[in-house]
Amino acid sequence: MTCRITTVDPEVGRLIAHHRKRKGILQSELAELIGVCGCQISRYERGHEFVSLGRRQKIAEALGIDPAVFADPSLIEVTPDERDLIEAYRLIGTPSGRQRVMAQIEIGRGMASC
């Protein structure tokens, strides 16, 4: 049996590990959910074994994420809070953005003191 490894596999493996840990489950738990042994998940996460498209689909379903995350490893899932921070960061570079961001920070400080 031959093993196919591409330059994408380490990135797909990193994404599997990231989302598995984010969900708070062990490799053995993910393995059980998709019907493989725990050592198989370890090989995937280290990029030592090719993860077929069908298996990526099963992993995504088990982790409750969009399978497109594995189709394009450059995609990163962010929380709503992270999205707000990214948008605020982008605003800083605009002429009025810095004032808007600082105003929001001040509003946030006022709310925290209540």
Side-chain angles (χ1 to χ4, degrees):
M1 180 177 172
T2 60
C3 179
R4 299 181 323 181
I5 296 180
T6 68
T7 57
V8 173
D9 288 332
E11 184 63 16
V12 169
R14 185 195 65 74
L15 288 168
I16 292 169
H18 168 77
H19 290 286
R20 176 184 58 76
K21 291 173 185 174
R22 192 172 189 188
K23 186 165 179 161
I25 64 173
L26 301 171
Q27 288 179 340
S28 58
E29 293 170 320
L30 177 57
E32 188 174 324
L33 289 170
I34 67 166
V36 299
C37 66
C39 59
Q40 185 71 29
I41 299 299
S42 176
R43 288 193 295 268
Y44 289 156
E45 289 184 359
R46 290 181 286 142
H48 291 182
E49 193 157 326
F50 178 76
V51 186
S52 70
L53 292 177
R55 188 62 46 88
R56 291 178 196 194
Q57 176 75 29
K58 286 183 179 181
I59 292 169
E61 288 171 6
L63 295 175
I65 60 173
D66 185 347
V69 169
F70 298 130
D72 183 356
S74 66
L75 294 176
I76 298 172
E77 185 176 311
V78 296
T79 66
D81 288 342
E82 291 168 331
R83 188 175 303 114
D84 291 345
L85 286 171
I86 292 167
E87 289 174 11
Y89 176 79
R90 289 178 177 159
L91 282 174
I92 291 172
T94 65
S96 63
R98 184 169 179 84
Q99 290 93 7
R100 290 174 58 195
V101 170
M102 294 307 291
Q104 289 299 318
I105 290 171
E106 290 303 319
I107 291 169
R109 284 185 185 151
M111 292 173 62
S113 64
C114 294

